[in-house]
Amino acid sequence: MENTGDLELQNLINELTQGRELAMQLQISLNTSSSSDKTRDFLIQRIDNSYEKMLSILNNGDDLDREFKGPNASRKRKAMPASTKKVQLCPGIGLEEQLDDGYSWKKYGQKDILGATYPRGYYRCSHGRDQGCLATKKVQRSDNDPTVIEITYVGGHTCSHVSCSNPPPTLPQNCIFPDTIMDNDVIGTFMSTPMSESNYFRVSPTLMSNYGGNHIVHSSESQLITQFAPSPTISFGTNTPNVGLDHFSFGPSEFDSNFSFGGSGFFP
DNA sequence: AGGATTTGACCCGG
DNA sequence: CCGGGTCAAATCCT
């Protein structure tokens, strides 16, 4: 599995590089009086995210070789180190963007979980087959707070960083969250959402598209919306024309033609 | 037509 | 035996 190791190392290096870039941005931001707290807060979140990815890669490295599927591979995964993130859904931001973690995922299953109100979605890295990447994630809407999505990452990515097929070695300096982006309306709306817990994971569409290159995620993340179907109560924003959903709506501005709600078969 | 998603069945650990 | 995780055929979407 030499390739796997190399990819993993590359992944780690990319993550470190990005973390460093983010730290530098934060330093600049701290030295710039015009920089807002929002900017700094966002940068901190991103750095934290980067660290989590690095830890995940390091933790899983030993298991990866062993986990390679043979003919006798179990359908049920052995316990692997997993990290869980909570994503607070925010009005005015596309769901897809909010759940975008920079990787390309393919949904391979969904299941009702005992005691949970909402079904759990199972995703694996889209490049799992090509590159032997074993990363998977479970996505489930929180019972307690329907506006929170819990994402459990299992196994580190061994495919090339972020875009897997199109890895950006480093991010250009001016690509990372300039204040002009941070302070725009999107973030304003976004930050105005009550969120006290610091471990919530906040992302922005504009920024995420900068994260790791162009249009990384053609993933099925939009299908997560299927998990929201059972809830009759969620409604974000106001005067929002429903985009194919009866009771779940975000601000319309964030949805472009690439993102359609109302997956097939879920709304009879 | 080919890729993505859905969904019921299957597998296995606890 | 139960329930979570995965498979794979059917279906949908582009």
Side-chain angles (χ1 to χ4, degrees), chain A residues 77-91:
Chain A
R77 257 175 195 271
K78 296 256 166 49
M80 286 180 76
S83 64
T84 302
K85 275 194 165 72
K86 292 183 178 183
V87 178
Q88 170 76 55
L89 298 181
C90 302

Side-chain angles (χ1 to χ4, degrees), chain A residues 108-181:
Chain A
Y108 67 87
Q110 176 171 309
K111 221 173 149 50
D112 288 324
I113 302 301
L114 200 74
T117 312
Y118 310 102
R120 176 182 297 166
Y122 296 90
Y123 297 79
R124 69 162 55 95
C125 178
S126 296
H127 298 79
R129 292 207 187 272
D130 335 347
Q131 303 188 25
C133 181
L134 297 168
T136 63
K137 71 173 178 179
K138 295 175 283 188
V139 180
Q140 185 163 25
R141 191 169 153 195
S142 170
D143 275 341
N144 303 331
D145 183 354
T147 66
V148 172
I149 304 293
E150 294 179 6
I151 305 178
T152 304
Y153 292 92
V154 182
H157 282 273
T158 57
C159 57
S160 310
H161 183 55
V162 188
S163 154
C164 295
S165 58
N166 192 17
T170 54
L171 290 167
Q173 284 286 333
N174 60 1
C175 253
I176 307 180
F177 326 136
D179 283 345
T180 52
I181 293 176

Side-chain angles (χ1 to χ4, degrees), chain A residues 9-241:
Chain A
L9 183 62
Q10 185 60 50
N11 220 356
L12 195 59
I13 290 169
N14 285 333
E15 221 35 82
L16 282 164
T17 305
Q18 184 180 323
R20 186 162 175 259
E21 299 274 4
L22 288 165
M24 286 166 68
Q25 289 288 318
L26 181 60
Q27 188 178 19
I28 291 166
S29 174
L30 287 169
N31 292 332
T32 309
S33 56
S34 62
S35 258
S36 67
D37 287 343
K38 298 170 194 171
T39 306
R40 290 164 194 155
D41 189 46
F42 192 89
L43 287 168
I44 289 166
Q45 295 282 340
R46 293 298 314 280
I47 291 168
D48 183 51
N49 182 30
S50 219
Y51 267 100
E52 278 203 48
K53 277 189 187 171
M54 287 185 252
L55 285 169
S56 169
I57 292 167
L58 289 170
N59 281 336
N60 296 327
D62 289 345
D63 299 320
L64 294 167
D65 288 349
R66 274 178 262 133
E67 269 287 317
F68 249 116
K69 292 181 178 140
N72 303 323
S74 166
R75 282 188 168 195
K76 197 169 185 175
R77 257 175 195 271
K78 296 256 166 49
M80 286 180 76
S83 64
T84 302
K85 275 194 165 72
K86 292 183 178 183
V87 178
Q88 170 76 55
L89 298 181
C90 302
I93 299 177
L95 181 67
E96 187 173 74
E97 282 88 357
Q98 294 189 69
L99 296 171
D100 177 3
D101 54 12
Y103 287 100
S104 175
W105 300 95
K106 179 182 169 69
K107 188 174 185 177
Y108 67 87
Q110 176 171 309
K111 221 173 149 50
D112 288 324
I113 302 301
L114 200 74
T117 312
Y118 310 102
R120 176 182 297 166
Y122 296 90
Y123 297 79
R124 69 162 55 95
C125 178
S126 296
H127 298 79
R129 292 207 187 272
D130 335 347
Q131 303 188 25
C133 181
L134 297 168
T136 63
K137 71 173 178 179
K138 295 175 283 188
V139 180
Q140 185 163 25
R141 191 169 153 195
S142 170
D143 275 341
N144 303 331
D145 183 354
T147 66
V148 172
I149 304 293
E150 294 179 6
I151 305 178
T152 304
Y153 292 92
V154 182
H157 282 273
T158 57
C159 57
S160 310
H161 183 55
V162 188
S163 154
C164 295
S165 58
N166 192 17
T170 54
L171 290 167
Q173 284 286 333
N174 60 1
C175 253
I176 307 180
F177 326 136
D179 283 345
T180 52
I181 293 176
M182 290 303 298
D183 292 337
N184 70 7
D185 288 340
V186 170
I187 301 296
T189 309
F190 166 79
M191 296 302 281
S192 66
T193 304
M195 282 188 295
S196 53
E197 288 88 342
S198 60
N199 62 333
Y200 281 162
F201 187 42
R202 303 169 195 172
V203 293
S204 131
T206 317
L207 305 182
M208 284 314 278
S209 63
N210 284 337
Y211 174 60
N214 27 359
H215 304 82
I216 305 139
V217 176
H218 349 88
S219 87
S220 44
E221 225 96 23
S222 59
Q223 298 305 317
L224 283 171
I225 201 65
T226 59
Q227 298 183 31
F228 305 151
S231 167
T233 55
I234 309 269
S235 179
F236 281 139
T238 55
N239 307 324
T240 304

